[in-house]
Amino acid sequence: MATSENEGSSEKERRGIQSIEAGGQLLLALGAQGRPMPLRELAKAADMAPGKAHPYLVSFAKLGLVTQEASTGYYWLGPTAMQLGLVTLRMLNPVREATPFAEDLARETGHSVALSVWGNQGPTIVYLFDAIYPLHTNIRTGTVMSLAGTATGRLFAAYLPPKLIEESLLEDERRLGPDIAKPVDAEDLQGMLNDVRKHGVSRSINNPTPGVCSFAAPVFDYSGNIVLGITLMGRSRSFDTEWTGTQAKAVRTCGVEVSKRLGR
């Protein structure tokens, strides 16, 4: 009998409070629309009658979760909602947020996936999920990638401030050595960076490692800055290298989803 009561209690906890869930739809609608809204339009977006929506908005206004513009009467997110959002953004860790997405990408594609950040010496691998088959590369956690000679490096080169990249490119060969930082013609490099911005991913085909191809996608934070790279790598014979192919779409989607988690 005690077990039955416990199960009933747990079920009640899982059900939650329906009125809070219903009112929350108004806040979600404001966030989704991204602009101040009149009552009727906001209620419609939350699938709610205006008469039902208004009391929720009055209570939310008292808590500072919404505010009403005096001139138009439109509703918008209030200072409390903004503060909660800022606290969440400050606590977000790009690598932590990206890890489960990268793990899923590796499992779904069967290829290797690497997470990279901009470190003191350039693009640095911080996490690596191995392929389901042996992939012979010299990439390990802590590996600093060539800025011009790798898909991961060119990803950061395409989206970081040009001045920072110019200085780092000059240091590329000195830091990494000629075997890792293979020289790339300046005009060719610019063309590759334009491709990254055009397609939203960076690509390497059999270079710098013969027989290995890769796509790298950016992760942006709420302010639009690149904070992470997600690189999908695989054998040439089983890796779709088309810009619109399966692998490019998969890693691009992964980058977009993680960016959303960071407020982009």
Side-chain angles (χ1 to χ4, degrees):
M1 188 66 179
T3 300
S4 178
E5 290 177 356
N6 290 336
E7 289 177 352
S9 177
S10 297
E11 181 60 30
K12 289 180 181 178
E13 290 178 3
R14 284 196 295 268
R15 281 203 300 267
I17 301 175
Q18 290 184 349
S19 60
I20 292 179
E21 295 173 7
Q25 294 304 311
L26 293 164
L27 298 176
L28 294 175
L30 279 175
Q33 295 294 322
R35 58 181 174 81
M37 302 174 69
L39 173 59
R40 188 170 297 277
E41 186 180 344
L42 174 56
K44 182 179 181 181
D47 195 24
M48 188 181 298
K52 182 179 178 181
H54 185 260
Y56 284 113
L57 294 171
V58 171
S59 294
F60 287 154
K62 291 179 180 179
L63 295 171
L65 291 171
V66 302
T67 185
Q68 188 175 21
E69 296 179 346
S71 59
T72 64
Y74 286 14
Y75 291 93
W76 182 228
L77 294 174
T80 301
M82 302 293 189
Q83 186 62 36
L84 291 172
L86 289 173
V87 169
T88 300
L89 289 172
R90 283 197 293 267
M91 293 179 65
L92 286 175
N93 180 307
V95 175
R96 183 179 63 219
E97 295 298 323
T99 297
F101 289 90
E103 190 171 14
D104 287 345
L105 180 63
R107 183 174 60 252
E108 291 168 4
T109 63
H111 299 307
S112 292
V113 176
L115 297 179
S116 57
V117 300
W118 184 260
N120 293 334
Q121 294 185 317
T124 306
I125 302 298
V126 293
Y127 229 110
L128 183 64
F129 298 91
D130 291 325
I132 59 175
Y133 55 85
L135 186 66
H136 302 294
T137 71
N138 59 357
I139 296 176
R140 300 290 184 272
T141 300
T143 298
V144 179
M145 307 298 286
S146 167
L147 197 59
T150 65
T152 300
R154 290 192 293 273
L155 183 73
F156 285 92
Y159 292 111
L160 284 174
K163 192 64 178 178
L164 174 63
I165 296 308
E166 289 173 8
E167 296 174 357
S168 296
L169 281 170
L170 293 175
E171 296 293 313
D172 212 15
E173 186 171 343
R174 185 185 68 79
R175 287 185 294 105
L176 303 177
D179 292 336
I180 299 176
K182 300 182 185 300
V184 177
D185 180 79
E187 186 173 338
D188 290 341
L189 175 60
Q190 193 55 53
M192 287 188 282
L193 297 185
N194 289 338
D195 281 339
V196 176
R197 301 182 188 106
K198 176 182 177 181
H199 298 286
V201 290
S202 180
R203 180 178 68 177
S204 287
I205 302 176
N206 298 315
N207 187 19
T209 305
V212 175
C213 299
S214 62
F215 278 108
V219 171
F220 301 104
D221 65 9
Y222 64 95
S223 60
N225 295 317
I226 183 172
V227 292
L228 193 72
I230 303 176
T231 304
L232 182 65
M233 303 170 286
R235 291 174 179 168
S236 300
R237 63 176 178 268
S238 60
F239 197 89
D240 186 349
T241 59
E242 294 296 324
W243 289 112
T244 58
T246 303
Q247 315 306 340
K249 289 179 180 178
V251 72
R252 188 186 295 113
T253 299
C254 186
V256 169
E257 291 302 316
V258 179
S259 296
K260 289 179 180 177
R261 295 280 298 178
L262 300 179
R264 182 61 174 161

